[in-house]
Amino acid sequence: MTTAGEALRLTDLGDEARAARFARLQERMPSVWDAMRRELENESIIVVPSVAPGPSSTGTTLQAYEERFLFLLLLLRQPRLRVIYVTGRPVPPQVVDYYLGLLPGVIPSQARRRLHMVAVHDGSRRPLAAKLLERPRVLADLRALIPDPSRCHLVPYSTTPLERDLALSLGVPLYGADPRLLFLGSKTGCRRLFAEAGVAHPQGREDVRGVEDLVSALAGMRAARADMAAAIVKLNEGASGSGNALVDLRGLPAPGAAGEREALRRSVEDMAPEHTGTPVDAYLERLASDGGIVEERIEGEEVRSPSVQLRVTPHGEVELLSTHDQVLGGPSGQSYLGCRFPADPAYAAMITGEAARIGAMLAREGVLGRFAVDFVVVRDGGGEWRPYAIELNLRKGGTTPPFLTLQFLTDGRYDAAAGTFTSPDGRPKHLVATDHLESPLLRGMTVDDLFDVAVCHGLHFDHARQSGVVFHMMSSLTELGLLGVTAVGDSPGEAEALFRRAEEVLLREAAAPRESVLPPV
């Protein structure tokens, strides 16, 4: 408890007091937002791409995802903006130079003076925001780098109570949803939101906890649709498909028949978690503690997984930003691997209209910042596509870096009505991207080797043609054999060809020579 005149510290505040103080801090966001459009002196952003560790994450994995948002360094094309970028471990200087070299119309050395890379020198498997909050000296250094707090805001990956507390500690507003609204983006919350918005979504049940809940939910779903072949269980806070599990419902007794519940129980006990390292027992324990949903798996002759990206501005305006076709993989095809932009025009406008209704509801709830609505679209016999909303991500996601990289590099704009992206000279632009170009062969390459290969084989992004390849997540190359790639072209075919060529060249170069030649004795 503090008395009048005493300095107030974060630890002096309970959760309700922090939430109230954060709400007052966020009232500054509209003026900060408006100032950024006027190229005023002393404007700045603090980028803290803090990611919650997944089931198989390592410190290196988290560092790679923290570096996935280095495309924000392209904002330094704004001549007065200062960017303060925080990571767990230092980013290799040649990686920073690579992004500065992509800046169009900017002298890299001038941009470098406005960039401050800050590392907490902690590569452990914990969220970056948590590491910062336990280091008051680093927080003090960050505050000292802010030229004018009234023209600064925090740019997070997602907004949990950790990011809220970080904004309070730095004294700058946060461009993202209030953590008190995050339930809307949970699997249970978004299904209820879809229903309220009148947006089609798979039949299912919310607030499922444990085996008995799950068996009862599946029995009720089969009573409504007897021919349902499979269902997907989703943990409320799962991300990128890693919190999902597939339940096979084929060959069971008829709905309501004797033995159905016991058969369903066996199917639940035999379900397949998308993360292959997660035992079913551990998954069910997590479901019992955290809750989740179960819904029908949408199937048909053609099934695709597009998404729509939107944002709510600090003035409460909903803006439609982009559509993507997601590239999924994993044991049952539910894990995010990459994307193609823009989404197929055959359904882009359809899902955009549905997402706009959801966005309007989120704006009324007070949500701020970027978010995405994931869909499944299906058709049979070449008929009409039918869309089903399946997830709401109240955060930036895997489609954010490639799209904003394209936008910052080309100054192009997305036309939501037409479903097209064009550069200022009227050329259409397309991209193919992945966070998962993976091979053990790539461990033999350094970042400098990667740059040599890109330049020697003409893969580097060409500003004159506004096409080529941009790399990301480069620090994971040597240790994990993992790399992110975004290929930009004037047509879907050109972007795909560039992507495939980059993949083929990198793997070929990484494979030879397989072993060093021994020097003479």
Side-chain angles (χ1 to χ4, degrees), residues 98 432-434 437-439 442 445 449-450 453-455 457-461 468-471 477 483-488 494-510:
Y98 171 77
V432 177
T434 185
L437 178 55
E438 294 181 80
S439 169
L442 293 173
M445 297 183 73
D449 293 333
L450 172 67
V453 169
V455 171
H457 289 271
L459 297 175
H460 189 51
F461 188 83
V469 175
V470 179
F471 301 108
L477 183 64
L483 183 66
V485 177
T486 299
V488 177
E494 182 182 351
E496 186 75 32
L498 273 169
F499 180 86
R500 295 302 170 196
R501 181 167 175 267
E503 180 181 45
E504 185 271 328
V505 167
L506 287 171
L507 294 178
R508 185 180 71 238
E509 290 288 331

Side-chain angles (χ1 to χ4, degrees), residues 8-10 44 46 82 84 86 118 132-133 135-149 152 165-172:
L8 187 67
R9 293 177 171 81
L10 186 66
S44 61
I46 302 178
R82 181 181 298 197
I84 305 161
V86 188
V118 178
L132 281 170
L133 287 168
R135 289 173 169 84
R137 288 184 175 85
V138 178
L139 291 177
D141 291 342
L142 289 176
R143 286 194 296 268
L145 290 173
I146 301 171
D148 183 349
C152 178
D165 290 353
L166 189 57
L168 293 174
S169 299
L170 295 171
V172 297

Side-chain angles (χ1 to χ4, degrees), residues 139-178:
L139 291 177
D141 291 342
L142 289 176
R143 286 194 296 268
L145 290 173
I146 301 171
D148 183 349
S150 70
R151 295 179 183 172
C152 178
H153 69 279
L154 177 65
V155 180
Y157 169 72
S158 60
T159 53
T160 71
L162 290 173
E163 282 77 13
R164 175 203 64 191
D165 290 353
L166 189 57
L168 293 174
S169 299
L170 295 171
V172 297
L174 179 152
Y175 182 51
D178 189 314

Side-chain angles (χ1 to χ4, degrees), residues 471-486:
F471 301 108
H472 58 279
M473 300 173 70
M474 288 172 270
S475 287
S476 60
L477 183 64
T478 301
E479 185 171 338
L480 301 179
L482 173 68
L483 183 66
V485 177
T486 299

Side-chain angles (χ1 to χ4, degrees), residues 173-223:
L174 179 152
Y175 182 51
D178 189 314
R180 290 179 296 180
L181 300 174
L182 290 184
F183 175 75
L184 296 170
S186 71
K187 302 303 185 289
T188 290
C190 71
R191 277 187 58 86
R192 291 175 177 166
L193 191 72
F194 298 157
E196 189 177 348
V199 172
H201 54 288
Q203 74 140 336
R205 302 291 188 274
E206 303 88 47
D207 276 334
V208 174
R209 293 182 181 272
V211 174
E212 292 308 314
D213 266 8
L214 191 48
V215 168
S216 296
L218 289 168
M221 292 162 61
R222 294 185 78 232

Side-chain angles (χ1 to χ4, degrees), residues 184 192-199 312 318 355-367:
L184 296 170
R192 291 175 177 166
L193 191 72
F194 298 157
E196 189 177 348
V199 172
V312 179
V318 179
R357 293 159 64 183
I358 297 165
M361 292 191 66
L362 291 173
R364 289 197 293 272
E365 292 286 344
V367 167

